[in-house]
Amino acid sequence: MTDPVRITPIGGLGEVGRNMMVIEQGDQRVVIDCGIGFPHGADRGLGVDVYLPDIRVLRGQPIDAILLTHAHDDHVAALAHLIRSGTPIGRIISLPFTIALVEAKLAEHELPLPPLVRVLPGEIVEIGAMTAEFIRVSHSIPDPAAIALQTAAGTIVLTGDYKLDATGQDLRRQVDRARLTALGDAGVLAMLGDSTNAQLPGRTPSEATTIEPINDVVDEAVGRVILTSFSSQIDRIDHAIRAADRTGRQTMLLGRSMRRNVKIAEQLKEIVPPNLPTLGRRDLDGKGKAMIICTGSQAEEFAVLARAARGEHPELNPGPGDTLIFASRPVPGNEGPVEEMQEMMRMRGVRVVTHHEAAIHVSGHARADEISEMVRMLRPQCLIPVHGEPQMLAAHAELAIANGLLAKNIHVGANGDVIEIDQAGLRLVDQVEAIAVPAGSDGLPLEAGEPG
Ligand SMILES: [Zn+2]
Ligand SMILES: [Zn+2]
């Protein structure tokens, strides 16, 4: 008699953030992702910087491998907390950009690290009796992957954060539809799918659609161009560098994570350096042909942009003639502080261009038609919608039912649900406590010791 697959979401259900999932079958135990979440709504201003997943759920029992879908903080930034807890970890496995970024982030914590293992898409990794395979999808960071876990009870596919971008400029940015379809043909027991944009109809526009609008704004700019985005949004940063090359602007990267991430991306050939020599810090006050790419698009208090808006940045002092491009949008809950910072920049005489004025930002998450396409490619027997607030998870479930899944084989659940899946279907067998653990900016829990 084969043991069922046992799935326990620790974070990411009923919320966007804190993604972490335990998957067990027989004697094997893997964890997928280990991320942080941010306070929003009524939780803002309570002195909490981030929320961590409740790793008490693991009971300190060994993890054979941690598999990472991609390097966004809501998927990897709680790794230091987990490692610090002393839970034995066999390996951390992912695609090259993810591993390189995680290695750089963990180096800041000075912790003894488990082996970090780089694999390529299509490589089969053995984890005891299970195997794992990383499959290319599109998202808003290099090397996003879906993960197929083959277990004795059947195949589990986690989509990771994805969209089905059809016009990727580069093979490495394209979804491997052939492999996903082949997995579906061979039979998928369960799919765990990204639900973030399930309530939005149609498809998310391609990343390539942001190139021309960014070029247009840069062409119109008279003075310096300052562009801000997430420092992991390497393709958007690439669009800015290419626009600078085309218009004879020298570039400069400002912000620690921006410099670190772009350096890693250059080393892995995920981005091509600019043609012109980069600017030195002292050149920044010179008006004219500069492209400054910086952190702080979310109005983070100590990032470059907020300091520049307050007049507290030693080198960057934006003023009349400068154009500031927000090639991003505020994450839910950040709208107020971001708008306030934009207003401060306008008061300084800066021309501010946001996603309201130009199509310079697209989401990295699949909308309804893409989710339906994913369900049709994988044709899973069971579904657990993940990565979303309750209404997003419910919308994902409806899309799956419209594409042939049985309602009884879909679990719209909560963190701490213990779900067993086998050929007979899925069932909720237990519920364990899995709270959002408040932490400070150092990523350490605010309460001494484990939360009660
Ligand atoms: Zn992501
Ligand atoms: Zn995410």
Side-chain angles (χ1 to χ4, degrees), residues 280-291:
R281 285 180 169 251
R282 247 176 270 133
D283 307 323
L284 265 185
D285 260 347
K287 293 286 165 195
K289 294 221 150 190
M291 164 72 78

Side-chain angles (χ1 to χ4, degrees), residues 7-22 158 192-193 195 383-393 411-419 428 434 436:
I7 298 177
T8 312
I10 300 182
L13 265 65
E15 61 185 336
V16 175
R18 286 194 327 122
N19 298 287
M20 186 169 180
M21 184 83 66
V22 189
L158 300 98
L192 281 63
S195 311
L383 171 76
I384 303 175
V386 301
H387 207 288
E389 292 166 11
Q391 67 276 17
M392 301 167 185
L393 305 180
H411 181 74
V412 177
N415 298 326
D417 287 356
V418 182
I419 305 137
L428 181 67

Side-chain angles (χ1 to χ4, degrees), residues 232-299:
S232 57
Q233 211 342 336
I234 298 297
D235 286 350
R236 204 72 50 77
I237 296 163
D238 180 68
H239 305 338
I241 293 175
R242 305 285 78 84
D245 276 351
R246 211 174 38 78
T247 52
R249 291 175 181 272
Q250 283 180 272
T251 51
M252 177 168 198
L253 304 175
L254 272 184
R256 202 164 58 99
S257 64
M258 184 66 76
R259 287 168 174 270
R260 177 194 67 196
N261 294 359
V262 171
K263 189 173 156 203
I264 290 170
E266 283 183 4
Q267 284 165 351
L268 294 175
K269 308 225 175 328
E270 293 289 347
I271 193 169
V272 178
N275 291 336
L276 294 169
T278 50
L279 285 170
R281 285 180 169 251
R282 247 176 270 133
D283 307 323
L284 265 185
D285 260 347
K287 293 286 165 195
K289 294 221 150 190
M291 164 72 78
I292 299 149
I293 303 168
C294 68
T295 55
S297 63
Q298 298 301 314

Side-chain angles (χ1 to χ4, degrees), residues 19 74-75 161 387:
N19 298 287
D74 61 320
H75 298 259
D161 293 7
H387 207 288

Side-chain angles (χ1 to χ4, degrees), residues 401-425:
I401 291 167
N403 283 284
L405 265 78
L406 301 176
K408 71 178 174 71
N409 285 340
I410 301 174
H411 181 74
V412 177
N415 298 326
D417 287 356
V418 182
I419 305 137
E420 285 190 352
I421 308 183
D422 56 21
Q423 298 303 327

Side-chain angles (χ1 to χ4, degrees), residues 40-55:
H40 60 273
D43 285 350
R44 277 180 75 99
L46 294 178
V48 176
D49 291 295
V50 299
Y51 286 102
L52 298 165
D54 189 348
I55 58 174

Side-chain angles (χ1 to χ4, degrees), residues 151-169:
T151 77
T155 302
I156 311 293
V157 179
L158 300 98
T159 66
D161 293 7
Y162 74 98
K163 59 182 188 174
L164 299 179
D165 193 331
T167 55
Q169 316 87 305

